Each structure stands twice: as C-alpha cells, then as structure tokens.
Amino acid sequence: MARLSPEAPPPDISTLGELKDSGYTVRPVKAEMRANLMKKLRSGDDIFPGIIGYDRTVIPQIQNAILGKHDIILLGLRGQAKSRIIRMLPRLLDDYIPVLKGTPLNENPFAPVTKQGRALVEEHGHDAPVAWMPRSDRYGEKLATPDTTIADLIGDIDPIKAANRRLTYADEEVIHFGIIPRTNRGLFAINELPDLQPRIQVGLLNIMEEQDIQIRGFNVRFPMDVMMVFSANPEDYTSRGNLITPLKDRIDSQIITHYPRTIDVGIEITEKEAWQHRATDGEKPDVDVSVPHYFREIIEQVAFEARDSEYIDQKSGVSVRVTRAALEDLISAAERRALLNQEDETTVRIGDLMHIEPAITGKVELVYEGEQEGAQNVALTLIGRAVRSIFTRYFPDPSDKESGRPAYRDVLSWFSKGNAIDLEQDLSFTDYAQRLDRIDGLKSVVDTHTSAGGPAETASMMEFVLEALHQNSLIGKEFDDGSQSYNDIMGSMLGSFGPPDGNDFDGEDDDPLDRYR
C-alpha cells in the first residue's frame, strides 16, 4: 500500500484483515518523520513557515537531528520561538496512521502491546477493528512544573479501577497510563524541562534509551514508539532546577536557539507578530497610523541595547515580545492622539516613544544596578540610546565636531539665543508642525538629508533631529506631565530618555520619574 499523501483522506479500511491485505507496513515514528522530511527537502517545501532568522543556524540543525532519528532539546532564552518550532514538528508525520480501535495506547494493529490490545486481536482476529488516527492527535505536550509526578507523565495503579472491576493489583489492567504512553506512535514535548524535579527526570531515562516504560512493581515492559522533544532555558539562568546528567546524555541533539542577529531580521519578525492593521472585519480603520521605517529600527535597536545593557540580567534574555508589544504601544499612542484631535490619519512621532516604556519594564529582569536605577529609568535610557544609534543612519553624526555637527549650526544657534519649544504629546498635527517650523534651519536639515514621505513624516523627522541633538548633549530637554520641551543645554540638565551622554545615573532619586519632571 502506498504511503499516504499529506492531503489524502483516511483509507476505507476498518479491520485488521483489510489492513493486512492492503500491504500497509507500519514504521517507527522517527523513521516516518525522517522519510517525510526527505520528501519535503527534495521538493523545496517550507518546513517551518513563519520562523525567521534561523535559516542557516537552528533549522538545519533540527533537520539534521530528524534525519538522524534523534530526540531533541531546544536550548535558549525566552522568546526565541522554541515552542513554536516544536509545535510545527507534527507537520512531518503522516496524515493518518492505523491504530487498534478501543485501545489506550494508539497501538500498532500488527503488534499490540497492552493486555487489552492483545485480547482484542485474539478475540476478533482479522475482524479486529482498526481506526485511522490523524496526525493532529499524535502530538502531546506538557509544561514542566515542580508538582508534575511520575503518574502524570508515565502512569500509576488506579485503585478505583481495581475496586470497580474487582481486579488485583497484579493485573495489568489496573494501570492508568500517563500522557507520554498515550502519545505512543507520536511526538511528545516537555517545555521548560529543568523545572521537573530530578526524581521525575529519572523516570524519563528508560523512555529515552530503552524506549519502554515500567510502572510500579509490574514485571512487564511496554515498548514505546515516541519521539521526545524538550525545551529549556540555559542551566545557568534557571534558579528552579537543572537537567540531570544521565538525561542530558540520552538526548541526542542539543540545539541552541538565538535572538535576531540583525535589526532587519528583528523588524521582519516584529512585522509578522505585532498587531498593526487595526481594521475590524475588513473595514477601514478609524485612524490610519503611519509608522516611518526608522521607528521600526528604533524599536528593534531598543532590544539590541537591552541585550547589551549593564542594567539588565543577560542570562534571562530580552524576548522578541518586547519589540512586538513596543510597536503596538507606539501605534496605540499615535492612534489615541488622532482620536482626541478628531483626525482620520496620523504619523508616529518621537514623543510617542515615551509610551513604549510599559512594553519594556515588564519584560526585562534587572541586575542590582538596574534595580537601583529603577525599571522606568532603565527603559527610558534604552530608548534614548536607540534613538542616538539609529539617527546616524539618516543624518550626519552630531558627535562628530568636524564633519557632522556643522549641519546643525543654525538649529543650535536658535536654541543658544534662549529659544525653546514645547511639544505636548496630544498636539494636533497643525499645531505640532507650526511649532517645529519656528526653529531656524530644522526643516532644511531634514530636506537636505532625507526624502520624507509628506508633511507629517517631515515633521516627525524634525523632532527626530531635536531628540538626537539632546541625546548628544547639544540641547537640553525637560519633561512635565505629557509635555516635553527642548531648550538650550544650559537651560536644563534633565533628560526625558535618560542621561544624554548615556552615563550611569547617580541612583539617589526616590521617585524614578523625578528627573523627568
């Protein structure tokens, strides 16, 4: 019988005799996944659709492991698509496989392993009922928690079953199987493996090596056909537990995941994950929010800055969920402002970056120095550093006194005369643009070095210039209850996005936002 194609319906076979006559052969699950992977590789199919940034690192290693019939552990920090990859692995299973109908362990009709399965075949022979199990039912998953027991994973004696059916504890039928045996002939995943207590991890050793399970004192072995896949954070990160050495030794392939290695890859991931197009049921959104590309770069750079920050625990990582939530908060801030001003469209502004702070503070773990500074201060510092870094992709570097700073001579001169500009966050576009236009030479800088896509983006780029000058300690900035003002550097030694020069805070403020007020 030919192997099933991924789109084929289940065969019209319902008995063991019909299955034998068809010529169908049962193969182990790892051999099945290997064969299906080989077909997909030859045909050029996308095996892990939507997984970005792993094409030359993680994905080839996973494919090598499957070709080698390995059990796998994905080891990496939070937010590195480990669970998503694991949940895609069942795509490599056959669309349907035959199982003995009415047995607890998805048993091979040709070789039943339980007492119920053997009795079924002995009683009915070629008429033993056969069902076809879809691949969606062949995947099991368990989040490892400290209270997980051997009974949960493998099984235990069921005293209620024994009493109701008047069976002795020596009878195999009193066993209640756990979730791993019930995924027999399939793929089973355990997330956050180190959280399992060591004595529970020991219970997995036989499954990994001998491919069988033993329950309590029964002198029986149930051969299991299961591919095991695990995920874990690095051992030096988790304080909740570790992998026991014998279990690590039995996991054939350890695959290290990673964060996006370039801003462009990060942007691509965030574009895919974030909720940006906010129309309902295909209707036009109430507010059309434009997000210039450099804002996407700033948001990704925030994550890169965080992954290199002295204030953040690098062993815990900085998830890509930070950038997703940050982009959503940024769009929401612009959307809210447009609604308040009865505007149908708007463009994100530099001042809106203040509103991505909640997306950062709840998703990073601080070291002692970061705790001293406060989560809000650290978040604002990261935003400021990101703005400063991305700015030089579009404009001359203000820190370069010879070739960069002269481009801003007129702007700096305007501020040096004692002028200042207030930019409340809820300003309408008309008021916002008019205030920026007052600054000598500012629009000229934008026109000279960029090709802004319209008046709204031009205005946003003008504020981008002001913020970068502040981050380079060339103009001052004050922030007060939703209003931010730029002024001469001597007029203010405070900063809204952290210290302009990126130096450490003195850590003496009781109120973490006091320096911004």
Side-chain angles (χ1 to χ4, degrees):
M1 178 179 177
R3 192 60 52 184
L4 300 172
S5 67
E7 293 81 18
D12 187 18
I13 294 175
S14 59
T15 66
L16 178 58
E18 292 175 350
L19 186 64
K20 288 181 178 179
D21 292 341
S22 72
Y24 185 92
T25 56
V26 174
R27 56 186 175 181
V29 63
K30 291 179 182 178
E32 176 186 330
M33 295 185 68
R34 168 185 161 83
N36 288 332
L37 174 60
M38 292 172 69
K39 291 179 182 178
K40 288 182 176 291
L41 289 174
R42 288 185 183 277
S43 64
D45 290 352
D46 188 357
I47 300 167
F48 296 98
I51 301 299
I52 301 169
Y54 286 168
D55 292 345
R56 297 186 179 183
T57 53
V58 174
I59 289 177
Q61 294 179 30
I62 294 174
Q63 293 170 348
N64 293 341
I66 294 172
L67 292 173
K69 300 183 181 180
H70 286 180
D71 295 308
I72 300 170
I73 183 169
L74 297 179
L75 189 67
L77 298 174
R78 64 179 73 174
Q80 293 183 351
K82 300 187 295 295
S83 296
R84 181 171 298 188
I85 290 173
I86 289 172
R87 290 168 185 171
M88 288 183 174
L89 291 176
R91 295 163 54 90
L92 297 174
L93 297 170
D94 283 346
D95 209 32
Y96 295 92
I97 60 167
V99 297
L100 270 178
K101 190 174 182 179
T103 56
L105 302 186
N106 313 325
E107 296 182 57
N108 177 358
F110 300 136
V113 296
T114 64
K115 181 178 178 180
Q116 298 97 311
R118 294 191 299 269
L120 192 63
V121 172
E122 289 173 4
E123 179 181 352
H124 297 283
H126 283 234
D127 293 327
V130 169
W132 291 88
M133 172 175 283
R135 63 184 175 193
S136 59
D137 292 343
R138 299 173 61 195
Y139 173 73
E141 182 179 306
K142 180 72 172 72
L143 175 63
T145 55
D147 61 345
T148 300
T149 66
I150 287 290
D152 295 332
L153 295 179
I154 298 177
D156 204 348
I157 294 173
D158 187 345
I160 297 177
K161 182 189 291 187
N164 290 341
R165 299 178 61 177
R166 297 184 179 182
L167 300 172
T168 70
Y169 282 176
D171 194 313
E172 183 183 316
E173 290 192 53
V174 303
I175 295 175
H176 174 77
F177 293 102
I179 53 180
I180 295 179
R182 291 180 181 276
T183 317
N184 184 37
R185 302 179 67 205
L187 189 152
F188 190 81
I190 298 180
N191 284 314
E192 307 300 339
L193 180 61
D195 285 353
L196 281 184
Q197 296 182 30
R199 63 184 180 85
I200 309 301
Q201 294 183 37
V202 170
L204 301 175
L205 299 183
N206 263 38
I207 296 175
M208 302 298 298
E209 190 68 22
E210 288 78 17
Q211 294 291 301
D212 65 27
I213 60 170
Q214 300 178 49
I215 297 175
R216 291 284 181 164
F218 278 95
N219 188 26
V220 293
R221 290 173 180 257
F222 296 98
M224 292 285 100
D225 179 19
V226 182
M227 178 177 178
M228 298 293 293
V229 184
F230 307 98
S231 73
N233 285 312
E235 288 181 85
D236 58 355
Y237 158 55
T238 177
S239 60
R240 299 182 297 269
N242 292 298
L243 298 185
I244 62 172
T245 302
L247 182 57
K248 289 176 63 178
D249 184 53
R250 283 167 167 78
I251 301 173
D252 303 299
S253 288
Q254 175 178 282
I255 297 169
I256 308 296
T257 59
H258 57 81
Y259 288 123
R261 292 178 173 171
T262 67
I263 285 181
D264 290 340
V265 170
I267 289 173
E268 189 177 355
I269 294 172
T270 304
E271 283 281 296
K272 178 178 177 293
E273 297 295 322
W275 181 47
Q276 303 179 67
H277 308 292
R278 304 190 172 189
T280 304
D281 298 328
E283 298 177 357
K284 186 179 184 300
D286 291 334
V287 177
D288 185 7
V289 179
S290 174
V291 184
H293 185 71
Y294 65 90
F295 279 101
R296 303 182 190 278
E297 293 177 304
I298 290 171
I299 285 176
E300 296 304 324
Q301 186 65 31
V302 167
F304 277 78
E305 295 288 344
R307 292 172 192 144
D308 196 38
S309 172
E310 67 275 22
Y311 297 131
I312 293 175
D313 184 358
Q314 301 304 320
K315 293 180 180 179
S316 72
V318 179
S319 168
V320 295
R321 299 183 187 97
V322 170
T323 56
R324 181 200 67 195
L327 181 57
E328 291 170 346
D329 278 347
L330 186 69
I331 293 172
S332 295
E335 187 178 34
R336 174 184 173 276
R337 180 182 60 251
L339 293 170
L340 291 174
N341 289 292
Q342 289 80 49
E343 296 173 343
D344 295 329
E345 59 182 17
T346 189
T347 296
V348 171
R349 304 172 186 172
I350 289 295
D352 295 331
L353 288 171
M354 294 294 300
H355 296 285
I356 75 172
E357 175 204 304
I360 302 171
T361 54
K363 294 181 176 61
V364 297
E365 294 189 24
L366 305 179
V367 295
Y368 176 77
E369 292 81 359
E371 295 288 353
Q372 292 296 105
E373 305 304 338
Q376 293 171 309
N377 284 354
V378 170
L380 296 172
T381 300
L382 296 175
I383 297 169
R385 291 176 179 177
V387 168
R388 183 176 178 177
S389 176
I390 297 301
F391 182 76
T392 54
R393 292 188 171 200
Y394 297 86
F395 294 93
D397 186 354
S399 66
D400 188 337
K401 295 182 180 180
E402 299 298 327
S403 61
R405 194 170 300 175
Y408 311 101
R409 183 179 292 110
D410 291 343
V411 177
L412 296 175
S413 176
W414 187 84
F415 281 104
S416 69
K417 296 174 182 177
N419 293 312
I421 179 174
D422 294 325
L423 297 175
E424 291 89 352
Q425 293 179 11
D426 293 335
L427 279 177
S428 68
F429 169 70
T430 300
D431 290 340
Y432 176 68
Q434 287 177 349
R435 296 189 186 190
L436 289 167
D437 284 339
R438 297 175 192 164
I439 303 176
D440 293 342
L442 182 57
K443 188 174 185 298
S444 177
V445 172
V446 172
D447 291 341
T448 301
H449 298 284
T450 68
S451 299
E457 188 171 338
T458 297
S460 184
M461 293 289 276
M462 291 166 72
E463 187 182 2
F464 191 14
V465 172
L466 295 182
E467 183 58 35
L469 294 177
H470 164 64
Q471 292 298 327
N472 283 275
S473 302
L474 297 176
I475 62 174
K477 184 176 180 181
E478 296 181 7
F479 183 84
D480 181 21
D481 293 335
S483 175
Q484 52 193 12
S485 62
Y486 294 95
N487 49 38
D488 179 48
I489 187 64
M490 298 307 296
S492 172
M493 299 304 295
L494 303 176
S496 64
F497 288 165
D501 59 359
N503 292 332
D504 292 353
F505 298 106
D506 58 20
E508 295 177 355
D509 293 336
D510 293 330
D511 182 350
L513 286 182
D514 185 59
R515 66 181 69 253
Y516 304 111
R517 296 197 173 104

